Amino acid sequence: MKKALISGVSGQDGSYLAEFLLSKGYEVHGIIRRASTFNTARIDHIIVDEQHEPGAKFFFHYGDMNDATSLISLIQKILPDEIFNLAAQSHVRVSFDTPEYTSNADALGTLRMLEAIRLLGLSDKIKFYQASTSELYGRVQETPQSEKTPFYPRSPYGVAKLYAHWVTKNYREAYNLFACNGILFNHESGRRGETFVTRKITRGIAQIKAGLEKKIYLGNLDAKRDWGYAPEYVESMWQMLQQEKADDYVIATGQTHSIKEFLEEAFKYTGLGDWQKYVEVDPRYFRPSEVDVLIGDSSKAKEELNWNPKIEFKDLVKIMIDADLRKLGIEVPGEGDKILQEKFPNKWWQKD
Ligand code: NAP
Ligand code: G4F
């Protein structure tokens, strides 16, 4: 049985990836950091009471990207076949407020993980996945962005992830570690963090419908993103580590839409009418330097990994709205559910 170690297992991607690997028969170990409140809501359904049961396949461990010893001892104890490094301070706006913390966790944290593998003499035994990002393209140097496009990050988060990207590549070249960078464009779901723009909108709409809120306060509505569906994106992470040779891949839909378009689609779907009645721009959410437009070219992943996303922009909006309405016990239009049933008859994740 293969063993995987996932940092950031309590996050959107980590929780889906854990479920995906369990469906593939892996023994899955996740790193969780200590918090003053419960932070396992996204994985509670896979933890259940099996943690100490014979035959259990999912285990979590306390650790932190800012604590090298915790990473070394976990890797030594678990001896995973594959490590997925997904832990990060992943909020771009917040990285302007906590640049040092973000750099420590996202840049040096990746180095700590790589050094742990090397110092334990496991460079030829472990495969390593790094959660790289389209934020590296920042002020874009060409359109669409591919693995060959030069980087120009625009935030402390982007700069920290640039270091992580290059140090991963360096350990591949210097120590022959099987290490891949997945350059993933934005991907969303019902599990998306509540302060990212798509989820802020879909959750805000559900709250308005429930009579709990009257308005949604947002920042720059003109930015454009290449948004895909998270479960499909985590599958690509695993696919990268199953190749003959380690490499870097862009994962994207190849379509781009503005925040305004997201609002239009979302309000139309829920029948609330004109979004402008419910949305106010609050400059607090502007960024000191913005990434205006991202659109990815994932032809390499299509060709080499056979990775083809099924969920398009309009589907994604409906899936996310259905999920947020359901969470508040409100009647769900159900088109999102139908799309999921049609496109993923054998879906491996248990909740959206
Ligand atoms: P997320 O929901 O914010 O999850 C981040 C995870 O990292 C959480 O489990 C968080 O723990 C953990 N974490 C944060 N700081 C940590 C630390 N110091 N030590 C240990 N764990 C820590 O992010 P996501 O959307 O799943 O993204 C996963 C990864 O992909 C991130 O590295 C992100 O930067 C990258 N990425 C995301 C996207 C996207 O569109 N989603 C695109 C490209 C790249 P808590 O639950 O305790 O906060
Ligand atoms: O949803 P966002 O915060 O995502 P962003 O900045 O693109 O970053 C996400 O995707 C990256 C991949 O490219 C990941 F690496 C990163 O970890 C994260 O998952 O913002 C998207 C856009 C931005 O242009 C932002 O200015 O939406 C704009 N926006 C407008 N109003 C807002 C808001 N963003 C947030 N978070 N909150 C707002 O109220």
Side-chain angles (χ1 to χ4, degrees):
M1 183 191 293
K2 273 198 187 172
K3 283 194 251 180
L5 175 62
I6 304 174
S7 74
V9 75
S10 57
Q12 171 188 254
D13 290 7
S15 64
Y16 280 120
L17 181 64
E19 273 185 281
F20 179 65
L21 295 175
L22 287 170
S23 80
K24 293 254 164 223
Y26 277 58
E27 179 176 304
V28 179
H29 295 258
I31 302 177
I32 296 190
R33 59 180 175 164
R34 195 266 160 185
S36 66
T37 50
F38 290 116
N39 60 356
T40 55
R42 294 183 178 103
I43 49 171
D44 280 342
H45 62 292
I46 55 173
I47 296 176
V48 283
D49 288 327
E50 286 181 4
Q51 187 79 351
H52 305 290
E53 298 276 323
K57 279 175 139 198
F58 179 77
F59 304 88
F60 68 84
H61 312 266
Y62 285 103
D64 199 293
M65 297 309 290
N66 294 338
D67 179 353
T69 53
S70 71
L71 303 179
I72 294 169
S73 63
L74 284 175
I75 295 173
Q76 188 172 36
K77 186 167 82 177
I78 296 161
L79 292 176
D81 300 283
E82 295 169 7
I83 295 180
F84 296 87
N85 186 36
L86 310 186
Q89 191 301 91
S90 71
H91 202 283
V92 173
R93 176 68 190 81
V94 171
S95 79
F96 287 97
D97 301 327
T98 61
E100 185 181 338
Y101 177 80
T102 303
S103 308
N104 207 346
D106 299 11
L108 293 181
T110 304
L111 176 71
R112 289 185 191 104
M113 193 71 106
L114 290 164
E115 270 296 86
I117 298 171
R118 187 182 75 81
L119 292 170
L120 290 167
L122 297 170
S123 299
D124 57 346
K125 297 206 169 54
I126 291 180
K127 292 183 173 181
F128 180 81
Y129 173 86
Q130 170 57 20
S132 205
T133 165
S134 49
E135 276 293 297
L136 301 189
Y137 299 117
R139 179 181 276 173
V140 298
Q141 302 295 295
E142 69 176 346
T143 294
Q145 295 87 50
S146 74
E147 295 79 3
K148 297 199 172 104
T149 304
F151 298 132
Y152 193 138
R154 294 271 284 168
S155 63
Y157 167 82
V159 175
K161 283 282 187 176
L162 182 71
Y163 175 89
H165 181 97
W166 278 108
V167 79
T168 298
K169 209 169 159 117
N170 179 244
Y171 273 57
R172 178 164 82 214
E173 292 171 4
Y175 305 116
N176 209 24
L177 175 69
F178 193 108
C180 301
N181 283 297
I183 311 173
L184 272 51
F185 282 61
N186 298 49
H187 47 280
E188 322 290 311
S189 70
R191 293 189 203 173
R192 183 58 144 149
E194 290 159 359
T195 60
F196 295 95
V197 74
T198 53
R199 186 72 204 289
K200 214 170 142 180
I201 294 170
T202 58
R203 185 167 170 266
I205 288 178
Q207 289 185 313
I208 291 169
K209 279 261 190 194
L212 299 170
E213 289 290 350
K214 290 196 166 51
K215 298 259 178 193
I216 307 175
Y217 297 89
L218 299 172
N220 174 14
L221 306 183
D222 294 318
K224 292 177 122 186
R225 290 292 183 273
D226 180 331
W227 281 299
Y229 187 44
E232 303 199 89
Y233 282 50
V234 303
E235 289 193 18
S236 78
M237 299 174 183
W238 176 78
Q239 286 171 307
M240 285 177 215
L241 296 199
Q242 312 315 309
Q243 300 306 298
E244 292 262 295
K245 215 171 119 276
D247 208 342
D248 305 329
Y249 295 91
V250 162
I251 300 294
T253 68
Q255 310 261 317
T256 194
H257 295 276
S258 66
I259 319 296
K260 278 185 186 153
E261 288 172 82
F262 195 102
L263 285 163
E264 254 155 39
E265 260 331 290
F267 276 82
K268 192 167 73 188
Y269 178 55
T270 41
L272 277 173
D274 184 4
W275 62 268
Q276 300 191 62
K277 281 198 287 188
Y278 298 97
V279 172
E280 283 198 17
V281 170
D282 183 337
R284 274 191 308 147
Y285 298 113
F286 291 160
R287 293 158 187 203
S289 45
E290 175 64 292
V291 172
D292 295 321
V293 51
L294 291 173
I295 177 164
D297 170 2
S298 57
S299 352
K300 180 175 166 184
K302 284 198 177 85
E303 202 168 300
E304 296 183 15
L305 308 178
N306 196 22
W307 184 83
N308 278 299
K310 296 188 184 118
I311 296 297
E312 292 175 1
F313 175 69
K314 290 186 182 180
D315 299 341
L316 178 67
V317 175
K318 290 173 182 160
I319 291 167
M320 290 182 71
I321 297 256
D322 279 4
D324 267 315
L325 291 176
R326 188 171 294 113
K327 277 177 197 137
L328 288 187
I330 301 170
E331 200 189 333
V332 167
E335 284 181 41
D337 294 340
K338 226 184 278 161
I339 290 161
L340 286 175
Q341 277 159 16
E342 274 166 25
K343 299 202 172 172
F344 304 100
N346 304 314
K347 82 182 170 74
W348 44 260
W349 60 99
Q350 293 170 37
K351 59 173 198 174
D352 303 312

CSV table of all heavy atoms in Angstrom, one decimal, residues 237-266:
chain,number,residue,atom,x,y,z
A,237,MET,N,-2.6,16.7,-9.6
A,237,MET,CA,-1.4,16.6,-8.7
A,237,MET,C,-0.9,15.2,-8.6
A,237,MET,O,0.3,15.0,-8.7
A,237,MET,CB,-1.8,17.1,-7.3
A,237,MET,CG,-2.3,18.5,-7.2
A,237,MET,SD,-2.8,18.8,-5.5
A,237,MET,CE,-3.5,20.5,-5.7
A,238,TRP,N,-1.8,14.3,-8.4
A,238,TRP,CA,-1.4,12.9,-8.4
A,238,TRP,C,-0.9,12.4,-9.7
A,238,TRP,O,0.2,11.7,-9.7
A,238,TRP,CB,-2.7,12.1,-8.0
A,238,TRP,CG,-2.4,10.6,-7.9
A,238,TRP,CD1,-1.8,9.9,-7.0
A,238,TRP,CD2,-2.8,9.6,-8.9
A,238,TRP,NE1,-1.7,8.6,-7.3
A,238,TRP,CE2,-2.4,8.4,-8.5
A,238,TRP,CE3,-3.4,9.7,-10.2
A,238,TRP,CZ2,-2.6,7.2,-9.2
A,238,TRP,CZ3,-3.6,8.6,-10.9
A,238,TRP,CH2,-3.2,7.3,-10.4
A,239,GLN,N,-1.5,12.8,-10.8
A,239,GLN,CA,-1.1,12.4,-12.1
A,239,GLN,C,0.4,12.8,-12.4
A,239,GLN,O,1.2,12.0,-12.9
A,239,GLN,CB,-2.0,13.0,-13.2
A,239,GLN,CG,-3.3,12.3,-13.3
A,239,GLN,CD,-4.3,13.0,-14.2
A,239,GLN,OE1,-4.5,14.2,-14.1
A,239,GLN,NE2,-4.8,12.3,-15.2
A,240,MET,N,0.8,14.0,-11.9
A,240,MET,CA,2.1,14.4,-12.2
A,240,MET,C,3.1,13.5,-11.5
A,240,MET,O,4.2,13.2,-12.1
A,240,MET,CB,2.3,15.8,-11.6
A,240,MET,CG,1.7,16.9,-12.4
A,240,MET,SD,1.9,18.5,-11.6
A,240,MET,CE,0.3,19.3,-12.1
A,241,LEU,N,2.8,13.0,-10.3
A,241,LEU,CA,3.8,12.1,-9.6
A,241,LEU,C,3.8,10.7,-10.2
A,241,LEU,O,4.6,9.9,-9.8
A,241,LEU,CB,3.5,12.1,-8.1
A,241,LEU,CG,3.6,13.4,-7.4
A,241,LEU,CD1,3.8,13.2,-5.9
A,241,LEU,CD2,4.8,14.2,-7.8
A,242,GLN,N,2.9,10.4,-11.1
A,242,GLN,CA,2.9,9.0,-11.7
A,242,GLN,C,3.6,9.0,-13.0
A,242,GLN,O,3.6,7.9,-13.7
A,242,GLN,CB,1.4,8.5,-11.9
A,242,GLN,CG,0.5,8.7,-10.7
A,242,GLN,CD,1.1,8.3,-9.3
A,242,GLN,OE1,1.7,7.2,-9.2
A,242,GLN,NE2,1.1,9.2,-8.4
A,243,GLN,N,4.2,10.1,-13.5
A,243,GLN,CA,4.9,10.1,-14.7
A,243,GLN,C,6.2,9.5,-14.6
A,243,GLN,O,6.8,9.3,-13.5
A,243,GLN,CB,5.0,11.6,-15.2
A,243,GLN,CG,3.7,12.3,-15.5
A,243,GLN,CD,2.8,11.5,-16.4
A,243,GLN,OE1,3.1,11.3,-17.5
A,243,GLN,NE2,1.6,11.1,-15.8
A,244,GLU,N,6.8,9.1,-15.7
A,244,GLU,CA,8.2,8.6,-15.7
A,244,GLU,C,9.2,9.6,-15.2
A,244,GLU,O,10.1,9.2,-14.5
A,244,GLU,CB,8.6,8.3,-17.2
A,244,GLU,CG,7.9,7.1,-17.8
A,244,GLU,CD,8.7,5.9,-17.8
A,244,GLU,OE1,9.7,5.8,-18.4
A,244,GLU,OE2,8.2,4.9,-17.1
A,245,LYS,N,9.0,10.8,-15.6
A,245,LYS,CA,10.0,11.9,-15.3
A,245,LYS,C,9.3,13.0,-14.6
A,245,LYS,O,8.2,13.4,-15.0
A,245,LYS,CB,10.5,12.4,-16.7
A,245,LYS,CG,12.0,12.8,-16.7
A,245,LYS,CD,12.4,13.1,-18.1
A,245,LYS,CE,12.9,14.5,-18.3
A,245,LYS,NZ,12.0,15.6,-18.6
A,246,ALA,N,10.0,13.6,-13.6
A,246,ALA,CA,9.4,14.8,-12.9
A,246,ALA,C,9.5,16.0,-13.8
A,246,ALA,O,10.5,16.2,-14.5
A,246,ALA,CB,10.2,15.0,-11.6
A,247,ASP,N,8.4,16.8,-13.8
A,247,ASP,CA,8.3,18.0,-14.6
A,247,ASP,C,7.4,19.0,-14.0
A,247,ASP,O,6.7,18.7,-13.0
A,247,ASP,CB,7.9,17.6,-16.0
A,247,ASP,CG,8.4,18.5,-17.1
A,247,ASP,OD1,8.9,19.7,-16.8
A,247,ASP,OD2,8.4,18.1,-18.3
A,248,ASP,N,7.3,20.2,-14.6
A,248,ASP,CA,6.3,21.2,-14.2
A,248,ASP,C,5.2,21.3,-15.2
A,248,ASP,O,5.4,21.2,-16.4
A,248,ASP,CB,7.0,22.5,-14.1
A,248,ASP,CG,8.3,22.5,-13.2
A,248,ASP,OD1,8.3,21.6,-12.2
A,248,ASP,OD2,9.2,23.2,-13.4
A,249,TYR,N,4.0,21.5,-14.7
A,249,TYR,CA,2.8,21.6,-15.6
A,249,TYR,C,1.9,22.7,-15.2
A,249,TYR,O,1.6,22.9,-14.0
A,249,TYR,CB,2.0,20.3,-15.4
A,249,TYR,CG,2.7,19.1,-15.9
A,249,TYR,CD1,3.5,18.3,-15.1
A,249,TYR,CD2,2.6,18.7,-17.3
A,249,TYR,CE1,4.2,17.2,-15.5
A,249,TYR,CE2,3.3,17.5,-17.7
A,249,TYR,CZ,4.1,16.8,-16.8
A,249,TYR,OH,4.7,15.7,-17.3
A,250,VAL,N,1.3,23.4,-16.2
A,250,VAL,CA,0.2,24.4,-16.0
A,250,VAL,C,-1.1,23.6,-16.0
A,250,VAL,O,-1.3,22.8,-16.9
A,250,VAL,CB,0.2,25.4,-17.2
A,250,VAL,CG1,-1.1,26.2,-17.3
A,250,VAL,CG2,1.4,26.4,-16.9
A,251,ILE,N,-1.9,24.0,-15.0
A,251,ILE,CA,-3.3,23.4,-14.9
A,251,ILE,C,-4.3,24.5,-14.9
A,251,ILE,O,-4.3,25.3,-14.0
A,251,ILE,CB,-3.4,22.5,-13.7
A,251,ILE,CG1,-2.4,21.4,-13.6
A,251,ILE,CG2,-4.8,22.0,-13.5
A,251,ILE,CD1,-2.6,20.3,-14.7
A,252,ALA,N,-5.1,24.5,-16.0
A,252,ALA,CA,-6.0,25.7,-16.2
A,252,ALA,C,-7.2,25.3,-17.1
A,252,ALA,O,-7.0,24.3,-17.8
A,252,ALA,CB,-5.3,26.9,-16.8
A,253,THR,N,-8.2,26.1,-17.2
A,253,THR,CA,-9.3,25.8,-18.1
A,253,THR,C,-9.1,26.4,-19.5
A,253,THR,O,-9.7,26.0,-20.5
A,253,THR,CB,-10.7,26.3,-17.6
A,253,THR,OG1,-10.6,27.8,-17.7
A,253,THR,CG2,-11.0,25.8,-16.2
A,254,GLY,N,-8.3,27.5,-19.6
A,254,GLY,CA,-8.1,28.2,-20.8
A,254,GLY,C,-9.2,29.2,-21.1
A,254,GLY,O,-9.3,29.8,-22.2
A,255,GLN,N,-10.0,29.5,-20.1
A,255,GLN,CA,-11.1,30.5,-20.2
A,255,GLN,C,-10.9,31.6,-19.1
A,255,GLN,O,-10.4,31.2,-18.0
A,255,GLN,CB,-12.4,29.9,-19.9
A,255,GLN,CG,-12.8,28.7,-20.7
A,255,GLN,CD,-13.6,29.0,-21.9
A,255,GLN,OE1,-14.5,29.8,-21.8
A,255,GLN,NE2,-13.3,28.4,-23.0
A,256,THR,N,-11.2,32.8,-19.4
A,256,THR,CA,-11.0,33.8,-18.3
A,256,THR,C,-12.3,34.6,-18.2
A,256,THR,O,-13.0,34.9,-19.2
A,256,THR,CB,-9.8,34.7,-18.5
A,256,THR,OG1,-9.5,35.4,-17.3
A,256,THR,CG2,-9.9,35.7,-19.7
A,257,HIS,N,-12.7,35.0,-17.0
A,257,HIS,CA,-13.9,35.8,-16.7
A,257,HIS,C,-13.6,36.8,-15.6
A,257,HIS,O,-12.8,36.5,-14.7
A,257,HIS,CB,-15.0,34.9,-16.3
A,257,HIS,CG,-15.4,33.9,-17.4
A,257,HIS,ND1,-16.3,34.2,-18.4
A,257,HIS,CD2,-15.0,32.6,-17.6
A,257,HIS,CE1,-16.5,33.2,-19.2
A,257,HIS,NE2,-15.7,32.2,-18.8
A,258,SER,N,-14.3,37.9,-15.7
A,258,SER,CA,-14.2,38.9,-14.6
A,258,SER,C,-15.0,38.6,-13.4
A,258,SER,O,-15.9,37.8,-13.5
A,258,SER,CB,-14.5,40.3,-15.2
A,258,SER,OG,-15.9,40.3,-15.4
A,259,ILE,N,-14.7,39.3,-12.3
A,259,ILE,CA,-15.6,39.2,-11.1
A,259,ILE,C,-17.0,39.6,-11.4
A,259,ILE,O,-18.0,39.0,-11.0
A,259,ILE,CB,-15.0,40.1,-9.9
A,259,ILE,CG1,-13.5,40.0,-9.8
A,259,ILE,CG2,-15.7,39.8,-8.6
A,259,ILE,CD1,-12.9,38.8,-9.5
A,260,LYS,N,-17.1,40.7,-12.3
A,260,LYS,CA,-18.5,41.1,-12.7
A,260,LYS,C,-19.2,40.0,-13.4
A,260,LYS,O,-20.4,39.8,-13.1
A,260,LYS,CB,-18.3,42.3,-13.6
A,260,LYS,CG,-18.1,43.6,-12.9
A,260,LYS,CD,-18.1,44.8,-13.9
A,260,LYS,CE,-17.8,46.1,-13.1
A,260,LYS,NZ,-17.1,47.1,-13.9
A,261,GLU,N,-18.5,39.3,-14.2
A,261,GLU,CA,-19.2,38.2,-14.9
A,261,GLU,C,-19.7,37.1,-14.0
A,261,GLU,O,-20.7,36.5,-14.1
A,261,GLU,CB,-18.3,37.6,-16.0
A,261,GLU,CG,-18.1,38.4,-17.2
A,261,GLU,CD,-17.0,37.9,-18.1
A,261,GLU,OE1,-17.4,37.0,-18.9
A,261,GLU,OE2,-15.9,38.3,-18.0
A,262,PHE,N,-18.8,36.9,-12.9
A,262,PHE,CA,-19.2,35.9,-11.9
A,262,PHE,C,-20.4,36.3,-11.2
A,262,PHE,O,-21.4,35.5,-11.0
A,262,PHE,CB,-18.0,35.7,-10.9
A,262,PHE,CG,-18.1,34.4,-10.1
A,262,PHE,CD1,-17.4,33.3,-10.4
A,262,PHE,CD2,-19.0,34.4,-9.0
A,262,PHE,CE1,-17.6,32.1,-9.6
A,262,PHE,CE2,-19.2,33.3,-8.2
A,262,PHE,CZ,-18.5,32.1,-8.5
A,263,LEU,N,-20.5,37.6,-10.9
A,263,LEU,CA,-21.6,38.2,-10.2
A,263,LEU,C,-22.9,38.0,-11.0
A,263,LEU,O,-24.0,37.6,-10.5
A,263,LEU,CB,-21.4,39.7,-9.8
A,263,LEU,CG,-20.4,39.9,-8.7
A,263,LEU,CD1,-19.9,41.4,-8.7
A,263,LEU,CD2,-21.1,39.6,-7.3
A,264,GLU,N,-22.8,38.4,-12.3
A,264,GLU,CA,-23.9,38.3,-13.2
A,264,GLU,C,-24.5,36.9,-13.3
A,264,GLU,O,-25.7,36.7,-13.1
A,264,GLU,CB,-23.5,38.7,-14.6
A,264,GLU,CG,-23.9,40.1,-15.0
A,264,GLU,CD,-23.0,40.7,-16.1
A,264,GLU,OE1,-22.6,39.9,-17.0
A,264,GLU,OE2,-22.8,41.9,-16.0
A,265,GLU,N,-23.6,35.9,-13.5
A,265,GLU,CA,-24.0,34.5,-13.6
A,265,GLU,C,-24.7,34.1,-12.3
A,265,GLU,O,-25.7,33.4,-12.3
A,265,GLU,CB,-22.8,33.6,-13.8
A,265,GLU,CG,-22.5,33.1,-15.2
A,265,GLU,CD,-23.6,33.0,-16.1
A,265,GLU,OE1,-24.5,32.1,-15.9
A,265,GLU,OE2,-23.7,33.8,-17.0
A,266,ALA,N,-24.0,34.4,-11.1
A,266,ALA,CA,-24.5,33.9,-9.8
A,266,ALA,C,-25.9,34.5,-9.5
A,266,ALA,O,-26.8,33.8,-9.0
A,266,ALA,CB,-23.5,34.3,-8.8
